[in-house]
Amino acid sequence: MVTSVAPRVESLSSSGIQSIPKEYIRPQEELTSIGNVFEEEKKDEGPQVPTIDLKDIESEDEVVRERCREELKKAAMEWGVMHLVNHGISDDLINRVKVAGETFFNLPMEEKEKYANDQASGKIAGYGSKLANNASGQLEWEDYFFHLIFPEDKRDMTIWPKTPSDYVPATCEYSVKLRSLATKILSVLSLGLGLEEGRLEKEVGGMEELLLQKKINYYPKCPQPELALGVEAHTDVSALTFILHNMVPGLQLFYEGKWVTAKCVPNSIIMHIGDAIEILSNGKYKSILHRGLVNKEKVRISWAVFCEPPKEKIILKPLPETVSETEPPLFPPRTFSQHIQHKLFRKTQEALLSK
């Protein structure tokens, strides 16, 4: 068994501590913007994350279909995040995925530790907690379970939870449905750029190479939620990210200079445009900065699936059709792996400069 390097946040939370360890306390400049997430979610004034109804995304009626696709494109350009409803994945399957994840996290700690990852040796799949980013020393108030769920031939079933028994069937079924939804979304986004329907999907790896990585984020109750973050501010490196949650608010988006709290929309899937699509579209589609708040009353769980291009096989750069004399390329060519390293390096430099 791998011994954990970072203490599990769940253990800290259930230990009865009244104040959180200093490495979880956010820098002063961040603290001013962290409010009570339940109060924030109730606010109706100001901008709200768009909800896109996908019911008509493949309608026979061209006018109806185009209206739906135009709304999706507009949300991707203005926000880069949206609630998807009528997405074609049954409530029953989504409920099974959630129950399986919650059941795993409700197992005794020693059971979960059997699936512990070993980040130091590069084994990131499995059960874990964030290690300190050496430069800032900051930790996030979450534990997680991370593994690849699609394509089927790239799965490592040895690290998939055996308990509950429905974890494997529910996750397998969900991955197939989600992969099909990703194709639909990428088609609309391609057409929105004036490209052939299959172009963006091909540019991020197609059916064989686009990887679906699932991360169940578990945010325990926090005795001082005004001092911590479940996930610090970041943009997703993926092409697309699809998120389910247990209807406890927490997601915030940095929109027009302010943090906007996403509402909990029943039966929806939250979708983010990731960096890979922002790069390919030369910034026309947005990868929005976002973070996760925690609270002292309820455990929050989210199920994120990151659709990622292969690490080395593809060069990510603005597609020629998105570049012109008036719109030069905004991003240099990089592999997905280089893009991740670039972001980590920049974050480390910023942390060192702020010390």
Side-chain angles (χ1 to χ4, degrees), residues 182-196:
T183 291
K184 282 183 199 170
I185 299 288
L186 289 168
S187 297
V188 174
L189 295 177
S190 284
L191 293 169
L193 294 171
L195 304 169
E196 287 172 20

Side-chain angles (χ1 to χ4, degrees), residues 50-68:
T51 296
I52 305 299
D53 189 338
L54 296 183
K55 177 166 58 58
D56 298 321
I57 197 169
E58 291 172 324
S59 168
E60 296 292 313
D61 182 328
E62 189 184 348
V63 175
V64 172
R65 184 178 68 238
E66 285 314 308
R67 188 184 307 133
C68 173

Side-chain angles (χ1 to χ4, degrees), residues 292-312:
L293 298 193
V294 290
N295 72 83
K296 60 167 68 168
E297 292 153 53
K298 294 180 179 175
V299 170
R300 179 168 181 261
I301 309 177
S302 69
W303 291 256
V305 174
F306 304 99
C307 304
E308 299 184 348
K311 282 213 155 57
E312 307 295 349

Side-chain angles (χ1 to χ4, degrees), residues 335-353:
T335 63
F336 185 58
S337 182
Q338 286 168 335
H339 175 65
I340 293 170
Q341 287 308 314
H342 165 72
K343 284 188 82 162
L344 288 173
F345 175 74
R346 208 172 65 194
K347 191 170 144 191
T348 305
Q349 295 303 99
E350 284 166 4
L352 287 168
L353 289 171

Side-chain angles (χ1 to χ4, degrees), residues 85 247 264-268:
V85 295
M247 294 298 285
C264 290
V265 177
N267 306 321
S268 69

